[in-house]
Amino acid sequence: MARKQEQYWNTVISPNTYAKGLGLRELWSKRYLIWLFIKRDLTVQFKQTIFGFTWYFISPLFSMVMYIVVFGRIAGIPTDDIPQPVFYLSGICLWEYFSTCLTSVSNTFQTNSNLFGKVYFPRLVSPVSVVMSKLFHFSLQLGTFVIVYVMFVIKGVNLRPNWYLALFPVLIFMIQGLALGLGLIVSSLTTKYRDLTNFFGVFVSLWMYATPIVYPLSYVTNPTLHKIMLLNPMTAIIETFKYGAYGAGEFSWQALGYSAACIAVLLVIGIAMFNRKQKFFIDTI
């Protein structure tokens, strides 16, 4: 009787854990999936809509008008001698991109529970694709800011852009890292503790007011409160963009370096937690 030939598995599919690293090599090998997810997200969002992508031009203008009325006219908060439309739009564009990415990434397991339970692929593809697809929306909102900016330049307003504006791609990368890292942490926690989703929504809303969006950082004159504001990783990002765009605000390499270090730590922790949680999420979701 012939001996049975021993069989071996050529490929073993299993979720990543802390011991297996962050799974970035596997994510890179499946990078084509990221493009497919991006295409899916854009198609779904603009399907059966009246305004389509033009809404992303209109939305920041509505927010700008509200901020001008409430914070500029009623509250009388200064804007470092920068025209209010330009000042508010610069913060609105960056914050909207960050907050939408953060909220979407934090709902990764809930949004994709059916898909994750049926087929295997690197789960990081989903949150990464969200951050990339939102970049298209951000570019449209940024276009609104550029149009308003140019209009004031033509009027003769001295906005004084400088070489620090070249840091803009770095700032976008930092925003993506912060939204992805913190969003993955929240997504990992909410698989077990569902009520954290409601708390996190309130937290993100309050976070905006702890960031110099509707007021300049120079408006915070209390030294202790000023230092606390700088602990917010988004503060240095917003202030650096404003400083590069129109020469007003506070720029500090130290503050920007602190933000980059915080983002790096949160990103590593977030990916590690996400990879560990994906092994058990289908049993708890």
Side-chain angles (χ1 to χ4, degrees), residues 24 28 36 83 255 257 263:
L24 300 182
W28 176 252
L36 293 178
I263 292 168

Side-chain angles (χ1 to χ4, degrees), residues 17-275:
T17 62
Y18 287 114
K20 293 185 177 181
L22 300 179
L24 300 182
R25 181 178 298 180
E26 184 184 22
L27 177 66
W28 176 252
S29 67
K30 299 295 189 295
R31 57 189 179 274
Y32 67 93
L33 284 176
I34 297 178
W35 166 245
L36 293 178
F37 272 64
I38 293 173
K39 186 177 180 180
R40 180 204 64 177
D41 292 342
L42 294 178
T43 302
V44 170
Q45 290 182 19
F46 296 130
K47 190 176 182 180
Q48 294 181 334
T49 59
I50 298 177
F51 295 104
F53 67 86
T54 57
W55 171 251
Y56 292 96
F57 290 103
I58 302 172
S59 178
L61 293 177
F62 284 163
S63 299
M64 178 197 72
V65 172
M66 183 188 70
Y67 289 170
I68 290 175
V69 173
V70 176
F71 299 104
R73 302 296 172 83
I74 298 177
I77 298 176
T79 57
D80 281 342
D81 297 326
I82 301 300
Q84 291 179 345
V86 177
F87 179 87
Y88 290 130
L89 276 176
S90 62
I92 289 171
C93 292
L94 294 183
W95 181 260
E96 284 292 326
Y97 178 52
F98 169 69
S99 61
T100 53
C101 287
L102 179 59
T103 303
S104 298
V105 171
S106 66
N107 293 323
T108 297
F109 281 130
Q110 287 82 358
T111 304
N112 299 278
S113 58
N114 292 331
L115 181 60
F116 286 177
K118 294 178 180 178
V119 62
Y120 176 79
F121 59 90
R123 305 310 190 202
L124 279 173
V125 166
S126 180
V128 170
S129 66
V130 166
V131 171
M132 298 304 295
S133 66
K134 299 299 181 185
L135 190 62
F136 175 75
H137 306 156
F138 169 71
S139 65
L140 298 179
Q141 294 183 330
L142 187 65
T144 303
F145 167 74
V146 172
I147 292 173
V148 174
Y149 186 95
V150 171
M151 288 175 56
F152 278 93
V153 170
I154 294 175
K155 288 183 179 180
V157 178
N158 185 17
L159 294 176
R160 305 188 304 277
N162 51 70
W163 288 107
Y164 289 100
L165 193 58
L167 292 172
F168 181 71
V170 178
L171 300 180
I172 298 304
F173 186 72
M174 291 174 67
I175 290 175
Q176 292 175 335
L178 181 59
L180 187 60
L182 187 57
L184 291 176
I185 293 175
V186 175
S187 181
S188 301
L189 294 175
T190 52
T191 56
K192 185 175 182 180
Y193 307 103
R194 296 293 188 88
D195 56 342
L196 286 179
T197 303
N198 298 328
F199 169 79
F200 187 67
V202 176
F203 172 76
V204 172
S205 299
L206 295 177
W207 190 351
M208 190 196 78
Y209 295 102
T211 307
I213 304 296
V214 298
Y215 56 86
L217 187 59
S218 59
Y219 185 69
V220 184
T221 56
N222 184 288
T224 303
L225 189 58
H226 191 278
K227 292 179 180 179
I228 294 175
M229 290 282 296
L230 291 175
L231 294 177
N232 177 3
M234 281 297 295
T235 296
I237 296 174
I238 298 295
E239 285 296 301
T240 299
F241 177 65
K242 291 180 177 179
Y243 188 83
Y246 40 75
E250 299 183 22
F251 173 79
S252 169
W253 285 110
Q254 183 179 1
L256 196 62
Y258 161 79
S259 294
C262 287
I263 292 168
V265 171
L266 288 172
L267 189 57
V268 171
I269 294 175
I271 294 175
M273 289 181 62
F274 186 85
N275 287 338

